[in-house]
Amino acid sequence: MTVLLFGGNGQLGRELQRALAPLGTVVSTTRSGVLPDGSTCEVADFSAPGSLAALLDRVRPDVVVNAAAYTAVDRAEDERDAAWHANAEAPGVIARWCAAAAVPLVHYSTDYVFDGQGTSPYREDDATAPLGVYGASKLAGEEAVRAAGGRHLIFRTAWVYASHSANFLRTMLRVGSERDVLRVVADQVGTPTPAALIADVTVQVLQHPGQLSGTWHLTASGQTSWHGFAEAIFAEALATGVLAKVPTVEAIASSEYPTPAQRPAWSVLDNRRLQRDFGLVLPTWQDGLERVMAELIPAKR
């Protein structure tokens, strides 16, 4: 089996390279043609969506996994075209090729398709209402994948992090080692979700005997605020010796940390359908944090 992986250099893409390997040959792509370890790979330029069909024709994959995206949420407000090319138009090109070739497509979306005004976990069929360009472009990508008519698995996820790449956990560990006090937003609530969990679940779903097609919410279980996540990161870092001392974490409101793009205040996604349809048990976000932090311990010693 040949799996074509778009976005091999992102934090999810790096985990997918590992998780997908047992399925067969993984052909990874990046915009530069270079992977994080310095090795070369296929080039896929999502700023030019029309160029992707030629790559698909040449590789002729049995499965396509699209982990590539424009994720600069704030910059997207000024770079609408770039976000739309990568998040809406490119997935459409890929999905139409997959539909014509009868190749299953895995595509990842986001909690940003919702407006964050909810009070209970969002279900897959709840009304979408993105607050900014990033969320709107990701929603358009979902719609393009569905409209293509092929077998597709859209996984909405949220608050993704890993022991590598650029993410909230690594930022907290870096600034926490430099400062005595940090101020972190406490009125945005969601579910921290390890990239490794998303990758592993993706492979489990692809190996599932049923040939289901649709949209599912793929996050860890439970919920917390960014402030709560930061406090948990530092508690775990101190317990494992990743940090010798940790800062005080002060809770602030989103209004005290203004950003060009508005963030959803409520980003908790209901993952029960995913667990039911594929016989999965998704871990708590606390368990996920412990596993990711354990990966950082050898690097500290």
Side-chain angles (χ1 to χ4, degrees):
M1 175 186 290
T2 298
V3 182
L4 180 58
L5 170 62
F6 288 104
N9 58 338
Q11 61 181 343
L12 177 54
R14 290 174 65 171
E15 295 294 344
L16 282 164
Q17 288 184 72
R18 167 194 58 78
L20 290 167
L23 298 184
T25 301
V26 179
V27 178
S28 296
T29 80
T30 66
R31 183 172 183 173
S32 66
V34 179
L35 291 166
D37 64 3
S39 61
T40 58
C41 64
E42 295 283 353
V43 174
D45 186 357
F46 273 47
S47 68
S51 67
L52 301 176
L55 171 62
L56 287 155
D57 284 338
R58 180 161 52 79
V59 176
R60 303 300 300 182
D62 301 295
V63 177
V64 175
V65 179
N66 179 30
Y70 181 107
T71 58
V73 174
D74 289 324
R75 207 161 65 237
E77 295 299 307
D78 294 320
E79 299 180 359
R80 183 187 184 280
D81 288 348
W84 219 262
H85 288 327
N87 294 343
E89 295 171 14
V93 170
I94 295 167
R96 288 189 290 274
W97 186 96
C98 288
V103 169
L105 169 63
V106 177
H107 178 72
Y108 300 96
S109 192
T110 174
D111 57 300
Y112 277 67
V113 301
F114 298 110
D115 64 8
Q117 300 303 304
T119 55
S120 59
Y122 283 111
R123 294 164 52 96
E124 288 82 356
D125 56 358
D126 281 338
T128 52
L131 298 174
V133 171
Y134 169 69
S137 67
K138 291 297 290 182
L139 179 58
E142 286 187 15
E143 292 168 345
V145 169
R146 295 188 193 101
R151 185 190 171 208
H152 61 271
L153 302 116
I154 298 172
F155 295 128
R156 290 182 183 141
T157 190
W159 292 30
V160 182
Y161 70 100
S163 61
H164 52 78
S165 306
N167 56 64
F168 183 80
L169 177 141
R170 288 177 59 84
T171 298
M172 287 297 100
L173 293 176
R174 175 177 56 80
V175 298
S177 68
E178 302 167 349
R179 305 178 193 174
D180 294 325
V181 179
L182 294 181
R183 304 171 75 237
V184 181
V185 169
D187 56 1
Q188 295 174 24
V189 177
T191 306
T193 302
L197 174 64
I198 299 169
D200 291 340
V201 168
T202 296
V203 172
Q204 288 178 270
V205 171
L206 285 173
Q207 293 176 307
H208 193 270
Q211 296 293 303
L212 297 180
S213 188
T215 302
W216 292 269
H217 289 168
L218 199 178
T219 64
S221 297
Q223 64 191 61
T224 189
S225 66
W226 287 117
H227 176 266
F229 187 27
E231 288 199 313
I233 289 169
F234 290 125
E236 192 66 22
L238 191 61
T240 57
V242 171
L243 292 179
K245 65 180 184 70
V246 297
T248 298
V249 185
E250 296 181 350
I252 63 171
S254 297
S255 58
E256 297 178 70
Y257 188 76
T259 55
Q262 185 179 353
R263 267 66 174 170
W266 178 261
S267 288
V268 183
L269 303 180
D270 188 331
N271 59 27
R272 290 177 296 177
R273 182 184 172 206
L274 178 70
Q275 297 188 77
R276 181 188 69 241
D277 287 353
F278 298 102
L280 301 171
V281 176
L282 295 170
T284 65
W285 69 266
Q286 295 95 330
D287 287 341
L289 175 60
E290 287 183 12
R291 293 170 189 168
V292 173
M293 288 294 294
E295 298 174 16
L296 293 169
I297 297 173
K300 184 66 179 177
R301 289 175 178 168

